[in-house]
Each structure stands twice: as C-alpha cells, then as structure tokens.
Amino acid sequence: MIIERDVPISMDDGLVLRADVFRPDSGAHPVIMTLGPYGKGVPYRVGFKPQWDWLISTYPDVLPGSSREYMNWETVDPEIWVPWGYICIRVDSRGAGRSPGYLDVFSPREIKDYYEAIEWAGTQPWSNGKVGLSGISYYAITQWLVASLQPPHLTAMIPWEGAADCYRDIARHGGIQSNAFFEAWYPRQVVSVQHGNPKAVLDPWMNEIASGPESDLLSDEELKNNRCDPVQDVLARPLDSQWYRSRSADWSKVTVPFLSAASWAGFGLHPRGNFEAFTQAASKQKWLECHPGRHEEWFYLNEPMAMQKRFFDHFLKGVDNGWDREAPVLLHLRRPFTDKFELRKEPSWPLPNTKWTRIYLEANQSSSPLLAWEKPSKSSSLSYMAMEESLTFTSPPLEHDTEITGPLAAKLFASSSTEDMDLFVTFQAFSPENREVDFQGTVDPHTPLAQGWLRASHRKLDTSKSLPYRPYHSHDEVLPLDPGRVYELDVEIWPTNILLPKGYRLALQISGKDFERPLPPDKPNEAWISRGSGPFLHTLPADRPNEVFGGWTTIFTGAESPSFLMLPIIQA
C-alpha cells in the first residue's frame, strides 16, 4: 500500500486543501473518498477513544486482516479496502485539520470544494475515473449535498446514517431548535481540530499537530473569527429559508446510484434523511438498508462490509455480481429483548403490504389514558403542565403477533393556555410484565421505538408534499395560537420497525419537553446517555421561553376531536 500524506488539492478560488491518499502500488483503480472536518490526522483510537474501546472490546475480531492502525472516525479502513483494489482518500475540509480557510460546516463553499476534490481524484493517473463516496454521519450528509451538484466523476455512493434536510433533520425538529447536539458535537469534534488550533492532538503519521502546520497556529480569538457558530446560525433563523435549503439535498438532482443505510434508532439526526432519500431522490438505481446498533458499529461488521464491497464492486469495477438484481429494500428486523436481527428483503418502501391503521386516543377521566382501535364516541380531554408533565396513552394487550414497520404520524387536537406549544411525541411498547421495549440507539443505549416533534405555531402543512402517513410542514410562517382554542395538529414521527408478540401493549407519550426517563442511579454523570433521547435535546431557553412554552396543554379526544396515531401494520 502506497501512502501519501498532505497531498495538495487546489480549489477553484486558489485555496489548497490537504488529503491523505492510500492506494495499491500499481495500476489504475476506483476511488473511495471522504471530505470533512474531523481531521485526517486524528487516529480513531485517539480522537474517539471511548467509541474505539467499545468497538474493539465488543468485537475483538472486527476488520479481520487489518492492524486497524490507519483508521479515522466514521471512514473506511484503508487496510481493508486497498487490498480489495480501491484507493482511499481522506480530505480535510476547508478550515479543518491541515486545510486552511474559514470553517463553515455543510456550507455551499464546503460542498463546492467536495465537487472539486472528486473531479481531481477522478482524473489522477492512478484513478480509473470512477469515484465512490462512503462514510458515516457527516461523511454521509455531505454525500447527499455534493451529489446534488452532480460531479461528472461521481459514480456511486453509500451514505451511511446521513441526514439530508438541514432544517427538518438536523437544526429544527418540527420547528423546535435542536441545540444540545450542536452545543456538544461542534466544540468536541470540530473546533478541537480546527485548522490552527494549538490544542489539537498530534498526527502520529506525520509527527506534527493534526491542525497544523505549526506556522498556521492561531489565538482563541482568531480561531473564533475563522469559523461559523451553528447554534447562533440556527437560533437566528426560526423559519426554513435559503440558508437551510443551500445546506440540504436537492432530491431532483440526486441521480447517482446509491445505497442508503439507515439506523432504526437514530431519532433526532440521521434516519429521516436516509428514508427520504430512497423515496424522493431522482436516482433510478437506489437501495435502502435498515439496521440496528450504535452509530459506529454496523458499518464495520462482516456482513455489512460484504454488502458495501458488493455494491462498489458492481458500480466502480463493473463486476457482474448480481447487485443490480438485489432487492431494493434490505431490512434487519427487530424483536423485543434480543440481539438477533434477521434480514428480510422487500420490493419498496413503505412496504407494499402495509395496512395503515388508526389507533385512537381516549382521554379517560376515571382511569389511565387509552389507545383504542375504535374511535371513542364521547368527547374527553386531559391537560398537563407542558414543561413538567406528560400524558401516556396505552393500548389493551395485542390480540395477535403484530409487526409495525414504516413511518408513523399522529393527528392531535390540542389547545394551549399560551400563544404556542411544543409537542414531543414518543411511541413505545411494553411487555406483559410492563418492561419497556427499547433498543441500543446510535448513541443512547435505551432508545424508544419512535419519536416526533411539532411546534404548534408551525402547524401549516405543505399539501403538495404531505402524505397521510408523513405530514410535511412548510415552516415558512409563524401562526400564533389563540389561548384556549383547539387546533388540529399533524405530527411527523420518524420510521421504525418492531415485531411484537401477542400480549404486548402499545403506548404513546405526549409531552411539552424532551422524552427522558429518570436518571439511572449508577450513571449520575451521564444523564443523556441512557435517558432515551441521547444528545438530541431541545433545551435552549432563547428558543423555548418558559412563559410561552411552559403553559397548560390540553389534548382532546373522541367525537369531534378524534386524535389518533397512524400505524404501519404489516399484514402477513
């Protein structure tokens, strides 16, 4: 394997990005590329030590044949892919790692740089002219964005757990600012290796600082002035706008073949993008794969690695391995309380044998709130303090084994004592012994079955894009509430999968704040890790002042206000 460090790639404005290239020692080969801000000189085992330690302790034999010494966070392992006949290229994005410039994550300038880098890679003498993209999270988001620019040498891509709509997937869920992720992620994973940051870790492969060279080191003030502030950028833009659109995929222009790999339990960031890509992108050759597990886990396991290789061998090498005849949808099915996940292949998404089924909310005053298969004939209502309490509606035990796979939606009739309200909706299931069915999520080890959000003043629907099972809100104007008036609200709930045995019960929690279970007594310093919503919280007082969002919320059910949950029940 030939390794070239800090290879210069000139951009159209004269700025030079730096890349590391891993390639076979002879011949022309296809390229697998990433471009992003995490630092090509930051070893996985150093920069992301807790995740690394978990991976290799859980899977001691992961990536057989590799020393795992050349790995970066969320990117392919060159010791695996180069022997398979691929060139692996990692590019430090503008303003990050060894590349100078203004750091502006997901910006049009960064994506234009990606276009330039792809075209550079596709025209090098060691390249066969076919460039593939593969990577997790940030390295998946930017795949959707650069594919919208249609670089000629981009041939195929695998966006693994990648958000696609900057407003709806990342910044503002249902119009509510998702601040905690940016507040935690940006300083820890991006600013820490900003170009010129003297506190960055050592690049052991070059024996220099990963954010260098040392001649480019900057003061704290200079660093701050040379980067964006995503929390404030989002706070200043409560409505969808060109700023968000320029950082989101244009599905009409995404035409490249792709394999969209979605996590079943990544609520708050990625999976919506993977599902929307499969249903909305213009690509004629596209596949959807759905898997469980932690964010950094499934990408490196043997079965998913074989799938990635088969996909790229077909599109980047022209191997006739049957991939073009592979089923469009590959689902790893979840059952309660097991770590076994069987693969099932399907022809489309949502699944063709989906029976869209309403289960109605019943605000019973004399007993616990209910979920009922028949619409209640009488009107009823229940109220809760939005910032302090929640309501949970629970079904009777299921009479049959039941599969729920697909997107969900809730139609809620609600009022507020103030001029606005935020709705946090969580879909759950419980065993006959009242044990909650949860799963290891991308971050949180106890993720519920599905989540959705809506700010009531953002209730306006885009009727051209809305579906009965996937409402689409325009987020283009604020419509304040009249206190006490009942409004009909449609809440998008992100897709899920679960196969429940007979006797289990369904539940829907409605609250005015993030879903969180009580803090485990054995993890007093890890509140977000195991409480249910991971780091994807909505707690910024500037976006959610208590005097507006801390009032009384009332949910109305039955008769003229038939609140319900739309379920994708799969018929045998």
Side-chain angles (χ1 to χ4, degrees), residues 444 446 515-532:
D444 196 306
H446 297 289
F515 173 82
E516 288 186 303
R517 303 183 191 85
L519 179 64
D522 59 332
K523 293 185 177 180
N525 298 316
E526 297 180 326
W528 62 263
I529 287 182
S530 54
R531 299 186 71 177

Side-chain angles (χ1 to χ4, degrees), residues 115-128:
Y115 178 107
E116 299 283 341
I118 290 169
E119 291 307 290
W120 172 86
T123 55
Q124 297 305 300
W126 32 253
S127 170
N128 74 348

Side-chain angles (χ1 to χ4, degrees), residues 276-567:
E276 288 290 296
F278 182 74
T279 58
Q280 305 301 319
S283 300
K284 301 299 183 184
Q285 295 175 292
K286 53 186 177 181
W287 288 263
L288 173 67
E289 184 272 348
C290 304
H291 57 265
R294 281 172 57 124
H295 186 49
E296 70 278 25
E297 176 183 2
W298 203 258
F299 185 72
Y300 296 109
L301 302 185
N302 289 342
E303 178 190 334
M305 288 281 289
M307 178 185 66
Q308 296 168 54
K309 181 179 185 296
R310 185 171 164 230
F311 175 84
F312 276 144
D313 280 354
H314 177 75
F315 284 106
L316 302 186
K317 292 185 175 182
V319 177
D320 184 8
N321 55 17
W323 180 267
D324 55 329
R325 300 180 294 278
E326 182 59 86
V329 178
L330 309 169
L331 307 180
H332 291 88
L333 304 176
R334 302 191 302 180
R335 300 178 187 273
F337 316 127
T338 177
D339 58 359
K340 305 298 183 183
F341 306 98
E342 64 195 83
L343 174 65
R344 190 176 75 207
K345 300 182 180 184
E346 295 281 356
S348 61
W349 180 271
L351 305 187
N353 54 339
T354 303
K355 182 180 181 181
W356 299 105
T357 305
R358 296 180 180 185
I359 188 167
Y360 291 89
L361 282 63
E362 184 173 357
N364 196 319
Q365 298 284 353
S366 60
S367 63
S368 300
L370 302 176
L371 289 176
W373 298 109
E374 300 295 331
K375 183 172 73 172
S377 58
K378 295 181 180 180
S379 297
S380 58
S381 65
L382 286 173
S383 301
Y384 60 91
M385 282 293 291
M387 290 288 201
E388 300 175 12
E389 301 170 318
S390 63
L391 296 176
T392 298
F393 296 79
T394 306
S395 78
L398 295 171
E399 296 181 359
H400 311 280
D401 292 356
T402 303
E403 178 181 346
I404 297 171
T405 301
L408 302 86
K411 183 178 286 292
L412 302 177
F413 291 83
S415 70
S416 173
S417 63
T418 69
E419 71 222 42
D420 210 345
M421 62 178 158
D422 286 344
L423 295 174
F424 294 77
V425 177
T426 303
F427 177 57
Q428 299 171 276
F430 294 87
S431 73
E433 298 75 32
N434 206 37
R435 180 182 174 187
E436 184 187 356
V437 179
D438 60 24
F439 288 91
Q440 170 66 60
T442 56
V443 178
D444 196 306
H446 297 289
T447 302
L449 292 182
Q451 291 177 297
W453 312 261
L454 180 66
R455 176 157 289 172
S457 61
H458 287 236
R459 62 190 177 275
K460 178 183 173 184
L461 292 172
D462 183 336
T463 56
S464 68
K465 296 181 179 179
S466 289
L467 298 166
Y469 53 82
R470 201 273 278 125
Y472 190 96
H473 298 87
S474 58
H475 298 295
D476 58 1
E477 63 177 321
V478 174
L479 303 172
L481 309 182
D482 294 330
R485 179 180 171 185
V486 180
Y487 292 88
E488 182 177 340
L489 307 170
D490 294 279
V491 184
E492 177 186 4
I493 303 174
W494 291 12
T496 191
N497 158 259
I498 186 65
L499 280 69
L500 294 171
K502 175 183 176 181
Y504 278 59
R505 292 173 297 118
L506 309 179
L508 188 72
Q509 186 192 98
I510 305 172
S511 179
K513 57 185 177 63
D514 288 297
F515 173 82
E516 288 186 303
R517 303 183 191 85
L519 179 64
D522 59 332
K523 293 185 177 180
N525 298 316
E526 297 180 326
W528 62 263
I529 287 182
S530 54
R531 299 186 71 177
S533 295
F536 308 113
L537 304 178
H538 310 75
T539 55
L540 194 67
D543 184 65
R544 305 188 69 232
N546 189 70
E547 60 271 19
V548 176
F549 296 98
W552 284 92
T553 295
T554 303
I555 304 297
F556 296 83
T557 68
E560 301 302 316
S561 50
S563 297
F564 64 83
L565 173 65
M566 179 76 81
L567 293 171

Side-chain angles (χ1 to χ4, degrees), residues 223-242:
L223 289 167
K224 184 178 179 181
N225 292 333
N226 211 31
R227 66 175 183 256
C228 67
D229 184 339
V231 174
Q232 292 305 312
D233 284 343
V234 171
L235 183 62
R237 298 170 175 87
L239 296 176
D240 202 355
S241 64
Q242 180 55 35

